């Protein structure tokens, strides 16, 4: 695996683990926004790592910044050389990104069941895509206690 892809994948997993930790913490202060921001960041880093791993580019010519979340999703869904997202997966990622946008830039009111549904769906998608794109198991990348909890079916 290319070094940049490996580093981005590491950041993605770090953000995913932190989103799980925040989801499970006892305090509600900033919890919803932080879970959504970290989950969204995990997917942006994962998408960039995947695009690079599959031979694509995440920078436009003469640009300093890498492409953003939306363009990463478009490449992962519609670029024939890179494609690894289904329509349903694309919609889930767009939903998570929209919720993150609301949480980060304005206000958001999300019920606990809805947050759980989005977080669990995101975690499951991350696990599935990690296996599909990189041939890696999520459990091998989680802290020991987290791995036991994931195997038990929890978030």
């Amino acid at each position: 695996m290319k070094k940049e892809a490996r580093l981005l994948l590491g950041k993605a997993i770090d953000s995913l683990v932190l989103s799980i930790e925040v989801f499970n913490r006892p305090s509600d202060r900033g919890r919803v926004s932080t879970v959504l921001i970290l989950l969204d960041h995990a997917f942006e880093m994962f998408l960039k790592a995947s695009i690079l791993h599959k031979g694509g580019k995440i920078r436009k010519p003469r640009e300093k910044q890498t492409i953003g979340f939306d363009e990463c999703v478009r490449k992962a869904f519609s670029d024939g050389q890179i494609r690894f997202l289904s329509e349903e997966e694309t919609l889930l990622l767009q939903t998570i990104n929209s919720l993150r946008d609301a949480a980060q830039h304005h206000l958001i009111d999300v019920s606990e069941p809805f947050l759980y549904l989005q977080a669990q769906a995101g975690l499951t998608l991350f696990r599935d895509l990690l296996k599909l794109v990189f041939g890696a198991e999520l459990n091998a990348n989680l802290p020991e206690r987290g791995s036991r909890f994931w195997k038990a079916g929890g978030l």
Side-chain angles (χ1 to χ4, degrees), residues 56-85:
K57 297 187 183 310
I58 59 171
R59 281 185 181 78
K60 292 181 180 177
R62 297 180 295 283
E63 293 281 328
K64 291 182 182 180
Q65 299 292 326
T66 59
I67 59 176
F69 188 92
D70 290 333
E71 191 162 345
C72 287
V73 170
R74 279 193 299 277
K75 276 184 174 259
F77 176 66
S78 61
D79 187 320
Q81 155 190 344
I82 295 165
R83 185 181 168 124
F84 58 89
L85 289 179

Side-chain angles (χ1 to χ4, degrees), residues 2 7 10 22 29 71 78 88 92 106 121 125 131 138 151:
K2 296 176 186 173
L7 293 172
V22 172
R29 184 174 294 234
E71 191 162 345
S78 61
E88 294 80 16
L92 174 59
H106 194 246
L125 178 58
K131 179 72 170 172
L138 182 58
K151 289 176 188 171

Side-chain angles (χ1 to χ4, degrees), residues 94-132:
Q94 289 170 332
T95 299
I96 291 170
N97 187 248
S98 293
L99 291 168
R100 188 273 324 157
D101 192 54
Q104 188 160 338
H105 298 294
H106 194 246
L107 301 171
I108 190 165
D109 183 23
V110 174
S111 69
E112 185 64 21
F114 186 74
L115 179 64
Y116 174 81
L117 178 69
Q118 296 305 308
Q120 185 65 59
L123 182 60
T124 301
L125 178 58
F126 194 100
R127 179 202 63 195
D128 294 348
L129 292 176
L130 184 64
K131 179 72 170 172
L132 175 72

